[in-house]
Amino acid sequence: NHIIDQCTGKNGIVNRISTYKEYLKPLHPFNIGDLQKESFRLFKYSPNYTLSIAENLYLKALISYPRTNSQIFPVGINYRKILNDLEKISSLYKKYVTILLNQNNLYPNNGTKNDPAHPAIYPTGITPINLNSAESKVYDLIVKRFFATFGEIAIFKKTKINILVNNNFLFEKKKKNILSKGWTEFY
């Protein structure tokens, strides 16, 4: 209340404006730990529940083997074929695949963690049939992460304004504008 009383009806003076660009590289492919964290963040699914869903998706041949620590896609898989297969699943996937295939290059932003036994988790391109709600959500998350790893860098313009009120109180206002969606279009 003290600050409100001291500032109400007073003029503010803008004493600093700073603007800069922020560049966000695409996300890395999913390993099981990253998938579990995202699944909890988005759906509140426990790590064990997410693992059991991923294993079901694997047994239905919809994704690669999920029990992996790798954040690196295998060199030998045909990304274009998987993308072309995924675009047949939904109109949204088709839109994303069109964007990706029109980019200058199609290289994943692989992470640093490698598991020689199993690559990062990726969709196989097989059309899912009869998935329950939880399976559909996790499958969609894996597909969108797959798309995002191939996306371009996202660029944001960030502006920070400092306002001094009553020569005593400094307030900060931040604003973020998207200059280029890049990979955030997919994820």
Side-chain angles (χ1 to χ4, degrees), residues 29-40:
F30 271 142
N31 61 20
I32 190 59
D34 294 336
L35 174 61
Q36 289 168 318
K37 285 177 199 163
E38 280 295 273
S39 180
F40 182 78

Side-chain angles (χ1 to χ4, degrees), residues 152-169:
E152 295 180 337
I153 291 173
I155 306 170
F156 301 92
K157 177 184 169 189
K158 293 182 122 181
T159 304
K160 186 166 81 171
I161 303 171
N162 289 338
I163 304 167
L164 187 63
V165 178
N166 204 18
N167 281 331
N168 224 4
F169 301 98

Side-chain angles (χ1 to χ4, degrees), residues 67-181:
R67 288 182 178 254
T68 179
N69 289 320
S70 182
Q71 296 174 316
I72 299 172
F73 287 141
V75 177
I77 66 169
N78 186 338
Y79 304 129
R80 287 185 186 279
K81 182 185 180 333
I82 292 172
L83 289 170
N84 286 326
D85 289 343
L86 290 172
E87 80 174 349
K88 297 170 189 163
I89 294 172
S90 77
S91 59
L92 181 63
Y93 290 177
K94 182 176 179 62
K95 174 187 166 191
Y96 292 161
V97 169
T98 300
I99 292 168
L100 288 172
L101 292 179
N102 284 323
Q103 291 180 173
N104 290 333
N105 60 50
L106 192 64
Y107 297 108
N109 184 37
N110 285 324
T112 56
K113 295 178 185 173
N114 191 14
D115 181 345
H118 302 286
I121 302 168
Y122 62 91
T124 60
I126 293 173
T127 301
I129 302 168
N130 298 328
L131 297 184
N132 65 36
S133 175
E135 289 172 333
S136 292
K137 287 179 181 178
V138 173
Y139 177 77
D140 185 62
L141 181 61
I142 291 167
V143 171
K144 287 179 178 172
R145 182 68 166 243
F146 182 73
F147 292 155
T149 61
F150 292 98
E152 295 180 337
I153 291 173
I155 306 170
F156 301 92
K157 177 184 169 189
K158 293 182 122 181
T159 304
K160 186 166 81 171
I161 303 171
N162 289 338
I163 304 167
L164 187 63
V165 178
N166 204 18
N167 281 331
N168 224 4
F169 301 98
L170 186 64
F171 294 92
E172 186 175 272
K173 171 73 174 145
K174 294 180 179 178
K175 184 178 180 183
K176 185 176 184 177
N177 293 343
I178 299 171
L179 297 178
S180 173
K181 286 185 180 181

